[in-house]
């Protein structure tokens, strides 16, 4: 038999290592050519590793969450070599650094069952063969509740259990010396129906602890958020927007749209408003290289749209929003969102943003504090739209209101500039006709 070594391939773009996010095979599995063996992640793109041969997996390296260098052997697959008769040739010690294989002994079924019965008998404790008759333990004395101020006797572990279960130990009868309360006494009290109402029937403390390893996209998100919050001093500015006029326009445009045109949401209007506002304040459409001390301002507006997927948060990017009309923006947002959710988004579609929009839709709440997508210098947070009373100068009238919660990198964006930018967005969205005016 020959053996094929499967190495972690070069996943491109000069990446020297990748994170193992999923195994598709175990040792002993038979694999076919082109069958997926494992999946690794670099950046936010997942790459599957197919099998180049057909055979049996004999060895596997690495656990989910491990970061493995490119070129490292991660699997060994036994394949049929030339002239093989299907038996493993006997190898000398040290040839492959493995222990010699022991040829399994095949027993008839009847013999196997008999051997198993003997093994079970041999494992039975000797005390079981001649166990003394159990001594009946005296049942807990009913005992009236202790007098007020009388401290019950119990070891610390019992006191801790009682505290976690919300039990007053003065109500528990102890069977030990001087009425000392044991774990058995506490168990009897918990199981009894006459517990004085201290613990409701069927309600027990849940002490289960589940450990969830942070791997794959979740780890990338954690690293990105930690980097952003540790390096960027955020300033968050919140302003309410009267969306009544924009909502009326959006409803009218959706009702009269031509065949083939996408349905308009709030996002395309916001994107076009951002293009106009960023044209007046290019310093906000920028990336800050804090190590080099350089702010790179971009002419092209590449808007990242934070999207929730089954695997976690990803940010597909609408490139050159300044060159797209409102319908083209809507079409591209829908395409990228679908690709992100079904896992088909390309690497270049998940990178290259110069500013980001974060929206939770109907779950957006009243105010949020969005975290900047490092190394960008600004992020626009969209909160939920709701009908609220609004004072028009003479009376309260119902208006469709929505808050924008926007965060800025305070190292390079002053509070005044941040407020000016948001106020410009407010003016454009409250008078949506201005969004379509070409200057």
């Amino acid at each position: 038999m020959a053996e094929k070594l499967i190495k972690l391939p070069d996943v491109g773009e000069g990446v020297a290592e990748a994170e193992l996010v999923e195994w598709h095979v175990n040792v002993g599995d038979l694999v076919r050519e082109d069958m997926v063996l494992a999946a690794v992640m670099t950046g936010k793109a997942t790459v599957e590793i197919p099998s180049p041969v057909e055979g049996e997996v004999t060895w596997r390296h690495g656990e989910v969450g491990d970061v493995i260098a490119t070129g490292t052997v991660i699997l060994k697959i036994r394949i049929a070599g030339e002239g093989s008769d299907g038996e493993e040739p006997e190898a000398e010690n040290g040839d492959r650094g493995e222990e010699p294989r022991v040829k399994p002994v095949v027993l008839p079924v009847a013999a196997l069952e008999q051997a198993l019965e003997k093994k079970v008998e041999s494992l039975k404790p000797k005390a079981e063969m001649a166990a003394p008759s159990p001594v009946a333990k005296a049942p807990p004395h009913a005992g009236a509740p202790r007098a007020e101020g009388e401290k019950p006797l119990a070891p610390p572990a019992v006191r801790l259990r009682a505290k976690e279960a919300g039990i007053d130990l003065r109500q528990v009868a102890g069977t030990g010396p001087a009425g000392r309360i044991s774990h058995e006494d506490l168990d009897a009290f918990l199981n009894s129906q006459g517990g004085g109402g201290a613990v409701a029937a069927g309600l027990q403390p849940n002490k289960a602890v589940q450990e969830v390893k942070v791997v794959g996209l979740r780890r990338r998100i954690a690293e990105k958020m930690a980097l952003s919050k540790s390096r960027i001093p955020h300033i968050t500015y919140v302003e309410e927007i009267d969306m009544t006029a924009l909502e009326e326009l959006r409803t009218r445009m959706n009702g009269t749209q031509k065949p083939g045109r996408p349905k308009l949401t709030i996002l395309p209007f916001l994107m076009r408003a951002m293009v106009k506002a960023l044209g007046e304040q290019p310093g906000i459409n920028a990336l800050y290289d804090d190590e080099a001390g350089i702010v790179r301002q971009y002419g092209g507006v590449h808007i990242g749209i934070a999207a929730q997927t089954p695997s976690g948060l990803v940010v597909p990017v609408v490139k050159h929003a300044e060159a797209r009309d409102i319908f083209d923006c809507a079409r591209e947002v829908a395409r990228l969102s679908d690709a992100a959710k079904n896992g088909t988004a390309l690497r270049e579609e998940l990178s290259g943003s110069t500013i980001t929009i974060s929206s939770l839709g109907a779950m957006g709440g009243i105010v949020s504090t969005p975290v900047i997508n490092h190394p960008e210098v600004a992020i626009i947070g969209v909160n939920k739209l709701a009908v609220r009373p609004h004072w028009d100068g003479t009376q309260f009238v119902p208006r469709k209101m929505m808050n924008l919660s926007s965060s800025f990198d305070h190292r390079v964006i002053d509070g005044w500039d941040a407020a000016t930018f948001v106020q410009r967005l407010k003016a454009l969205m409250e008078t949506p006709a201005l969004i379509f005016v070409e200057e």
Side-chain angles (χ1 to χ4, degrees):
M1 288 282 186
E3 197 169 58
K4 177 69 176 178
L5 305 182
I6 309 298
K7 299 180 179 180
L8 180 65
D10 183 357
V11 291
E13 297 188 1
V15 176
E17 60 185 19
E19 180 186 354
L20 180 62
V21 295
E22 187 176 8
W23 277 117
H24 289 266
V25 295
N26 296 308
V27 173
D29 287 355
L30 299 177
V31 299
R32 303 182 305 276
E33 188 174 352
D34 294 329
M35 179 177 173
V36 176
L37 302 173
V40 297
M41 173 173 285
T42 172
K44 288 186 177 179
T46 301
V47 180
E48 294 181 336
I49 301 176
S51 174
V53 295
E54 180 176 318
E56 179 188 356
V57 177
T58 60
W59 181 83
R60 198 177 78 172
H61 168 66
E63 298 296 332
V64 171
D66 290 351
V67 177
I68 301 175
T70 300
T72 301
V73 177
I74 59 173
L75 282 168
K76 294 180 182 180
I77 299 178
R78 184 188 297 117
I79 57 178
E82 184 177 354
S84 170
D85 59 359
E87 292 185 2
E88 178 78 4
E90 187 174 336
E92 296 180 4
N93 267 348
D95 283 357
R96 291 187 300 169
E98 298 177 354
E99 293 293 329
R101 288 186 172 271
V102 179
K103 189 173 181 181
V105 178
V106 180
L107 295 176
V109 174
L112 184 60
E113 290 179 347
Q114 185 176 5
L116 182 60
E117 289 178 358
K118 290 182 178 180
K119 183 64 176 177
V120 171
E121 287 295 329
S122 67
L123 293 176
K124 288 184 178 180
K126 295 180 179 180
E128 185 177 324
M129 305 301 294
S133 55
V135 178
K137 184 178 180 180
H141 61 271
R146 291 173 177 81
E148 186 173 351
E150 182 183 351
K151 186 177 179 181
L153 297 177
V158 173
R159 293 185 181 279
L160 179 60
R161 281 188 60 200
K163 182 179 179 180
E164 291 176 346
I167 297 173
D168 184 355
L169 281 179
R170 290 177 300 176
Q171 303 297 320
V172 181
T175 59
R180 186 178 181 86
I181 301 170
S182 65
H183 284 285
E184 291 77 9
D185 297 330
L186 190 58
D187 289 337
F189 180 83
L190 287 170
N191 294 329
S192 69
Q193 296 300 315
V199 178
L203 297 180
Q204 298 293 336
N206 187 342
K207 300 181 181 179
V209 177
Q210 181 181 7
E211 294 185 354
V212 180
K213 196 170 184 179
V214 179
V215 299
L217 181 58
R218 190 75 261 166
R219 175 190 279 182
R220 293 291 186 273
I221 294 171
E223 292 171 350
K224 190 81 170 179
M225 294 298 100
L227 176 65
S228 180
K229 292 297 289 186
S230 65
R231 304 187 82 168
I232 300 177
H234 286 57
I235 175 176
T236 300
Y237 183 90
V238 181
E239 179 60 287
E240 61 177 2
I241 314 292
D242 186 344
M243 299 287 289
T244 307
L246 190 147
E247 279 294 279
E248 290 175 354
L249 175 61
R250 186 178 71 86
T251 301
R252 188 175 298 112
M253 293 177 70
N254 280 335
T256 60
Q257 65 181 1
K258 298 178 181 178
R261 278 186 172 175
K263 182 179 179 180
L264 296 175
T265 64
I266 292 174
L267 287 184
F269 291 92
L270 176 58
M271 293 167 69
R272 289 301 306 167
M274 288 171 60
V275 167
K276 281 187 169 292
L278 290 170
E280 301 167 7
Q281 289 182 270
I284 294 178
N285 186 48
L287 305 181
Y288 180 31
D289 185 344
D290 48 7
E291 293 184 354
I294 297 173
V295 176
R296 295 183 175 87
Q297 300 179 4
Y298 289 80
V301 181
H302 311 309
I303 303 178
I305 308 294
Q308 188 66 33
T309 72
S311 300
L313 184 70
V314 297
V315 186
V317 183
V318 177
K319 302 290 178 64
H320 290 290
E322 79 282 357
R324 301 176 184 270
D325 63 22
I326 199 163
F327 291 104
D328 196 14
C329 285
R331 186 178 296 108
E332 186 68 353
V333 168
R335 184 188 72 81
L336 289 172
S337 296
D338 290 342
K341 289 175 182 177
N342 58 35
T344 61
L346 303 177
R347 186 176 301 159
E348 54 268 23
E349 294 174 332
L350 299 173
S351 60
S353 57
T354 55
I355 190 169
T356 296
I357 295 175
S358 175
S359 174
L360 293 174
M363 296 286 289
I366 299 174
V367 174
S368 58
T369 55
V371 178
I372 297 170
N373 187 18
H374 181 275
E376 298 169 20
V377 299
I379 184 171
I380 310 301
V382 179
N383 299 116
K384 70 179 179 180
L385 187 148
V387 176
R388 297 200 292 263
H390 182 74
W391 182 255
D392 66 358
T394 58
Q395 60 181 343
F396 283 103
V397 293
R399 305 291 287 181
K400 294 181 178 179
M401 307 297 292
M402 182 186 78
N403 289 353
L404 287 183
S405 301
S406 306
S407 296
F408 302 86
D409 187 337
H410 214 353
R411 297 174 298 178
V412 293
I413 305 294
D414 293 332
W416 180 268
D417 294 328
T420 300
F421 176 73
V422 174
Q423 290 301 323
R424 180 58 172 152
L425 291 180
K426 174 183 174 72
L428 289 167
M429 297 185 73
E430 289 189 340
T431 310
L434 296 176
I435 296 175
F436 299 90
V437 175
E438 297 294 335
E439 298 176 356

